[in-house]
Amino acid sequence: MIQSMTGFGKAQLELSNSNVNIELKSLNSKHLDLNIKLPKAYKHQELELKKYLTNKLYRGKIEISVQFDDFTSESEYSINVPKLKEYHKQIIDLKNELNLKNNTSNHDKLEKSDIVSILLNMPEAFHKRENEIQTDNWADIFQGVENAVESLVLFRKKEGENLLKDISDRITLIDEFLKEIVPLSEFRIENIKSTLKDKIENAELQIDPNRFEQELIYYLEKQDITEEIVRLQSHLNYFLETTKTNSPNGKKLGFICQEIGREINTIGSKASNAEMQKIVVNMKNELEKIKEQLLNIL
């Protein structure tokens, strides 16, 4: 069965000191494009995760995010006291070196207040507290990733069911159009024979019957679309059979779609009948809609 390339999956884990939120998003792409967001403590596991996602998801623009929510109520940031002391010492040393002195005590108080403000705006004035993640939880996290992938695949399959119905209906419609062309094609050949015969008789030309028959057969063979009809019918059946195979089959369906288009174009180029041309236009219209849907298929 076919699958959509778009989807969403998520999973949640509860560890000893934090919750783990895992989210997976998938969009259309010709190839596999992975964007993995892991905490620093697990960056060394990225290659393993990439291999797993490649084997499971095959194709698409995939984004996976693994985030930790700490249970503790401590502030996420803290003042980097050693760094500020170092900055302050350098400021005092600079002041002494430049021989700067204060005239009033009020000015001195104001300066101290300004120095604190300045220090708090200096680079690395604050520490961002990193959650202490235990790397021995990777097995649990990887299980969560597997759950998120299963959720994403289920989403893709549901979307694929909707795509399959729409595409199958359009393939069936093309098949119905093809059945309308068959009797028109037979009538067209007979009409060509009759028209040529009338033109020759009206022209009162002396012709060699054997040569005329040879030329007529050659001309009618070029106008005949029986082979195209047979091949197109075969391609339509093969397309529907392929939709029932295991994913990924989107690229293969795209190749079959190209072959369907070639046969329809050939029928259109040979058709010298207004009704046939209208049917060919309708077939092309349905085929274009199928091509658009195939861009969403894994």
Side-chain angles (χ1 to χ4, degrees), residues 189-207:
I189 295 298
E190 293 300 323
N191 188 49
I192 290 173
K193 289 180 181 179
S194 177
T195 301
L196 286 175
K197 184 178 179 180
D198 291 341
K199 286 181 178 180
I200 292 172
E201 289 178 354
N202 293 334
E204 297 180 352
L205 298 174
Q206 296 295 326
I207 61 173

Side-chain angles (χ1 to χ4, degrees), residues 43-293:
K43 279 296 182 181
H44 62 287
Q45 303 288 359
E46 187 170 325
L47 182 59
E48 178 188 354
L49 189 57
K50 184 176 181 179
K51 289 180 179 178
Y52 172 74
L53 294 174
T54 300
N55 291 332
K56 287 291 183 179
L57 301 180
Y58 305 109
R59 193 156 65 105
K61 186 175 181 179
I62 311 294
E63 180 178 311
I64 180 170
S65 172
V66 179
Q67 293 182 333
F68 283 73
D69 293 332
D70 197 359
F71 289 156
T72 62
S73 59
E74 297 178 19
S75 175
E76 187 178 2
Y77 291 90
S78 62
I79 297 176
N80 189 351
V81 177
K83 196 70 176 178
L84 295 187
K85 285 183 177 180
E86 180 184 340
Y87 285 143
H88 183 261
K89 182 179 182 302
Q90 292 180 28
I91 292 172
I92 297 299
D93 291 343
L94 179 62
K95 177 181 175 182
N96 293 333
E97 184 177 342
L98 297 177
N99 196 25
L100 298 177
K101 296 182 179 180
N102 302 322
N103 296 326
T104 65
S105 59
N106 288 336
H107 185 76
D108 184 56
K109 291 179 180 178
L110 180 61
E111 186 188 51
K112 290 178 180 179
S113 176
D114 289 342
I115 288 178
V116 173
S117 177
I118 292 170
L119 290 175
L120 292 177
N121 284 283
M122 295 294 283
E124 301 179 17
F126 293 91
H127 279 304
K128 183 177 181 182
R129 185 175 56 80
E130 298 288 344
N131 293 339
E132 294 183 0
I133 301 174
Q134 300 296 325
T135 55
D136 56 0
N137 289 326
W138 175 246
D140 296 327
I141 294 172
F142 192 81
Q143 179 62 52
V145 171
E146 291 178 331
N147 294 338
V149 168
E150 289 180 6
S151 177
L152 174 63
V153 171
L154 182 61
F155 191 106
R156 280 179 161 187
K157 287 180 178 179
K158 288 181 179 179
E159 289 292 313
E161 290 175 2
N162 296 330
L163 290 173
L164 176 59
K165 184 180 184 308
D166 182 76
I167 290 174
S168 298
D169 289 344
R170 297 188 188 282
I171 289 292
T172 301
L173 194 54
I174 292 176
D175 186 50
E176 291 174 358
F177 286 139
L178 183 60
K179 288 181 173 64
E180 293 178 15
I181 283 181
V182 173
L184 291 174
S185 174
E186 294 173 354
F187 171 78
R188 182 179 62 97
I189 295 298
E190 293 300 323
N191 188 49
I192 290 173
K193 289 180 181 179
S194 177
T195 301
L196 286 175
K197 184 178 179 180
D198 291 341
K199 286 181 178 180
I200 292 172
E201 289 178 354
N202 293 334
E204 297 180 352
L205 298 174
Q206 296 295 326
I207 61 173
D208 182 352
N210 293 328
R211 179 63 182 273
F212 172 71
E213 184 177 354
Q214 291 176 359
E215 293 295 334
L216 181 61
I217 292 173
Y218 175 75
Y219 179 73
L220 292 178
E221 282 182 349
K222 295 192 69 175
Q223 296 294 313
D224 186 39
I225 58 172
T226 301
E227 290 184 7
E228 286 78 8
I229 290 174
V230 172
R231 284 197 296 265
L232 179 54
Q233 183 68 66
S234 176
H235 293 330
L236 294 175
N237 293 336
Y238 187 42
F239 187 98
L240 292 176
E241 290 174 6
T242 304
T243 61
K244 299 175 183 178
T245 61
N246 294 330
S247 292
N249 49 17
K251 288 185 178 180
K252 186 174 182 179
L253 291 173
F255 296 145
I256 300 173
C257 206
Q258 291 177 9
E259 295 302 318
I260 292 174
R262 288 191 182 95
E263 301 304 332
I264 293 176
N265 288 333
T266 305
I267 291 173
S269 65
K270 288 185 176 183
S272 55
N273 179 282
E275 288 301 317
M276 285 179 63
Q277 291 287 5
K278 289 179 182 179
I279 295 173
V280 167
V281 169
N282 289 331
M283 294 169 78
K284 287 183 177 181
N285 182 52
E286 296 302 322
L287 185 62
E288 285 303 311
K289 293 177 180 178
I290 292 172
K291 288 180 179 179
E292 291 176 5
Q293 294 287 41

